Amino acid sequence: MRTIIITGATGGLAQEIIKQLPDDQLILTGRSLEKLTALYQTRPRTKLVQLDLADNNALEQFVAACYQSYGRIDVLINNAGFGDFKAFDEVSDSEIRAMFDIDVFALMTLSRLVGKEMKQQEQGQIINVSSVLGLMATSKSTVYAAAKFAVTGFSNALRLELADHGVTVTTVNPGPIRTGFFDLADPSGDYLKRVDRYALNPDQVARQIVEAIRTKKREVTLPFILKVAHRLYTLFPTIGDYLARKTFNYK
């Protein structure tokens, strides 16, 4: 039986991941203990933790408590995050800092704290949920894309540092997922309607993440059409910029 930490456990993607891990000991974190309890109170082998990801002291205490209670962590899934699609000059300083606090700094801190223990154990896996926007940016996603580029770069470097210690780092780069994420990022619903052909159901992404735990996969990028788009963008960046600005500007 594996012990797995999942952040942002009240989100739609996390709920689907959890459904597919019925036999594991799970440590689930979220901002609201009430919401966590409503979702998972009947699930066996489940520890629910209300956690402020923007509080470094709380993160350190949380990780220490996990190791004190369970002895080891086999998988850390950094799933928590949020976005807000606005023009660059409409984003406030406080919004920038809040997004980086959750999407980047909390992920880095938990990866560092848990990764250090995994390195000593010479076993484990860290899964960081990034985004296709961490591979190729689009307009009106300056802060979110910057955060996800940071996650991708951090994950790639961490993978190299931990590779010789039996620890795998997997980066997940999904396109738009039909979850509550868009309640904030796209409150009008217009963007999600425009990208519906590319949008993923959360169970599709969850299956890929659970499979990546089994296979220790380096990277998961989906849907396939956006994976191809990223490859083409890498080869032909000028054309890619033009198409992203003129043809595929859905925000």
Side-chain angles (χ1 to χ4, degrees), residues 83-86 176 179-195 250-251:
D84 194 354
F85 296 151
K86 292 182 179 179
T179 66
F181 170 88
F182 287 101
D183 294 346
L184 174 63
D186 176 40
S188 71
D190 292 340
Y191 170 71
L192 195 55
K193 289 177 184 176
R194 294 188 188 108
V195 299
Y250 295 116
K251 295 187 186 69

Side-chain angles (χ1 to χ4, degrees), residues 130-137 149 172-175 221-223 226-227:
S130 185
S131 169
V132 165
L133 291 178
L135 302 175
M136 49 182 183
F149 265 87
V172 182
N173 307 304
T221 302
L222 65 163
L226 293 184
K227 184 176 182 178

Side-chain angles (χ1 to χ4, degrees), residues 163-175:
D164 292 334
H165 301 280
V167 181
T168 304
V169 178
T170 301
T171 310
V172 182
N173 307 304

Side-chain angles (χ1 to χ4, degrees), residues 19 55 60 65 77-78 85 105 136 149 152 163 207 230 241:
K19 287 178 185 177
D55 184 340
E60 291 180 4
I77 302 178
N78 282 308
F85 296 151
F105 300 140
M136 49 182 183
F149 265 87
T152 299
R207 280 196 299 272
H230 170 242
D241 278 356

Side-chain angles (χ1 to χ4, degrees), residues 41-244:
Q41 62 182 336
T42 61
R43 188 192 184 280
R45 297 178 297 280
T46 303
K47 174 69 173 177
L48 305 178
V49 180
Q50 184 174 14
L51 184 63
D52 180 2
L53 293 176
D55 184 340
N56 278 349
N57 289 332
L59 296 182
E60 291 180 4
Q61 293 170 14
F62 165 69
V63 172
C66 288
Y67 278 96
Q68 185 174 15
S69 297
Y70 301 101
R72 64 188 290 146
I73 303 300
D74 297 293
V75 183
L76 166 65
I77 302 178
N78 282 308
N79 166 74
F82 72 96
D84 194 354
F85 296 151
K86 292 182 179 179
F88 79 97
D89 53 353
E90 295 177 359
V91 186
S92 68
D93 288 346
S94 61
E95 289 172 324
I96 292 171
R97 293 180 186 280
M99 198 178 303
F100 267 75
D101 276 343
I102 303 304
D103 291 24
V104 182
F105 300 140
L107 177 147
M108 287 181 172
T109 299
L110 286 173
S111 296
R112 173 173 55 82
L113 295 171
V114 175
K116 180 179 179 180
E117 298 292 337
M118 289 180 171
K119 180 179 177 180
Q120 294 177 352
Q121 296 168 184
E122 297 196 329
Q123 180 273 339
Q125 183 174 15
I126 297 171
I127 298 178
N128 291 330
V129 179
S130 185
S131 169
V132 165
L133 291 178
L135 302 175
M136 49 182 183
T138 62
S139 62
K140 294 188 178 179
S141 64
T142 50
V143 179
Y144 185 67
K148 292 306 184 180
F149 265 87
V151 168
T152 299
F154 172 78
S155 301
N156 288 343
L158 186 64
R159 181 183 301 113
L160 301 179
E161 291 194 36
L162 293 177
D164 292 334
H165 301 280
V167 181
T168 304
V169 178
T170 301
T171 310
V172 182
N173 307 304
I177 309 173
R178 297 182 182 95
T179 66
F181 170 88
F182 287 101
D183 294 346
L184 174 63
D186 176 40
S188 71
D190 292 340
Y191 170 71
L192 195 55
K193 289 177 184 176
R194 294 188 188 108
V195 299
D196 186 66
R197 73 183 78 175
Y198 310 117
L200 299 155
N201 291 323
D203 63 303
Q204 294 175 272
V205 185
R207 280 196 299 272
Q208 293 293 322
I209 292 173
V210 172
E211 177 67 11
I213 297 175
R214 185 183 68 82
T215 61
K216 307 295 184 185
K217 199 169 183 179
R218 176 187 185 277
E219 185 179 75
V220 175
T221 302
L222 65 163
F224 180 74
I225 189 171
L226 293 184
K227 184 176 182 178
V228 172
H230 170 242
R231 297 286 174 85
L232 293 174
Y233 182 81
T234 302
L235 293 171
F236 308 106
T238 302
I239 295 174
D241 278 356
Y242 179 84
L243 292 175

